Amino acid sequence: MKQRIITSSFLACAAVMSWAAPIEFDFKDPKGVNNIVFRTDAPLESINGTGTGISGTVTFDPEHPGAVKGKIVLAVASLNVPNPKMKEHLHGPDWMNAAQHPEINFELAGTKNVKTEGDNSSVEAMGKLTIRGVTKELVVQVKMTYLKDKLKARQGREGDLLVIRANFSIKRSDFGINAAKFEEKVSDIIDLSLSLAGSAPRN
């Protein structure tokens, strides 16, 4: 009898541990909806564009949102602006240099000031942003929404979703992107807006 109680307790603990395990979310969206919006507002021109080549994985524990970790990657070749000539320059060697530096990535190092209410968590994400081979540390305010069992509504299969939203600014001069040039048309400050959904299917 005693052995049965011990075995039952062990199985119950194992089930709880399994349920509470961190979940890995894949941010390569098969629907192609994930995107990063960028904007520069210079005296002569305001330029808006998008980047849709998103990939990367994030590990998230619904019980401990502040323990989130992972890496988000953006393919430079997916950066798009409405003007074809401007897009050509954007991908070229003087600007983003897509041939030599095909990826932009943000690697999460830790979080602070975690606030959770229901399925929503707000954190200050501390990480390293790499653009054109230059890496800078920065802190970004991030909102994470954990949507249990909602993958089916988006992709038609069982699983969970993690939605990440953030708005922040960087300076192109910090990353050697034509620093101190053409600032009347392309501002040094670039505003970024992220709206990304990661999927964790269950087989």
Side-chain angles (χ1 to χ4, degrees), residues 78-131:
S78 75
L79 294 175
N80 186 50
V81 290
N83 184 295
K85 193 65 175 178
M86 192 179 293
K87 179 180 177 180
E88 182 182 335
H89 289 160
L90 176 64
H91 292 174
D94 292 334
W95 291 90
M96 297 305 298
N97 200 351
Q100 292 278 21
H101 303 287
E103 293 182 347
I104 295 170
N105 64 70
F106 179 79
E107 188 162 3
L108 182 62
T111 65
K112 59 182 181 179
N113 297 328
V114 181
K115 298 177 182 177
T116 299
E117 184 175 342
D119 295 329
N120 298 305
S121 296
S122 175
V123 303
E124 290 183 37
M126 301 173 289
K128 295 181 178 180
L129 178 65
T130 301
I131 303 175

Side-chain angles (χ1 to χ4, degrees), residues 5-74:
I5 293 173
I6 293 173
T7 302
S8 297
S9 298
F10 175 79
L11 291 173
C13 289
V16 170
M17 288 175 67
S18 174
W19 176 81
I23 306 167
E24 185 174 272
F25 291 86
D26 185 354
F27 279 79
K28 188 170 184 178
D29 182 12
K31 295 183 71 174
V33 176
N34 281 350
N35 68 88
I36 293 175
V37 177
F38 61 91
R39 180 173 184 260
T40 76
D41 192 8
L44 297 181
E45 293 181 354
S46 179
I47 302 169
N48 294 274
T50 59
T52 54
I54 310 290
S55 61
T57 57
V58 170
T59 302
F60 178 81
D61 185 345
E63 298 297 311
H64 304 284
V68 63
K69 59 182 179 180
K71 182 178 181 180
I72 298 295
V73 179
L74 170 65

Side-chain angles (χ1 to χ4, degrees), residues 141-186:
Q141 188 71 38
V142 175
K143 179 183 177 182
M144 301 180 293
T145 303
Y146 170 61
L147 300 172
K148 183 175 175 60
D149 298 325
K150 291 296 185 180
L151 183 61
K152 191 170 185 177
R154 183 181 173 94
Q155 296 182 12
R157 53 182 177 162
E158 299 296 331
D160 304 337
L161 287 171
L162 180 67
V163 178
I164 293 178
R165 295 182 177 89
N167 296 283
F168 61 101
S169 299
I170 61 172
K171 290 184 177 181
R172 62 182 176 94
S173 56
D174 286 344
F175 297 92
I177 306 171
N178 250 338
K181 294 181 179 179
F182 308 107
E183 290 190 1
E184 286 191 336
K185 290 186 177 182
V186 183

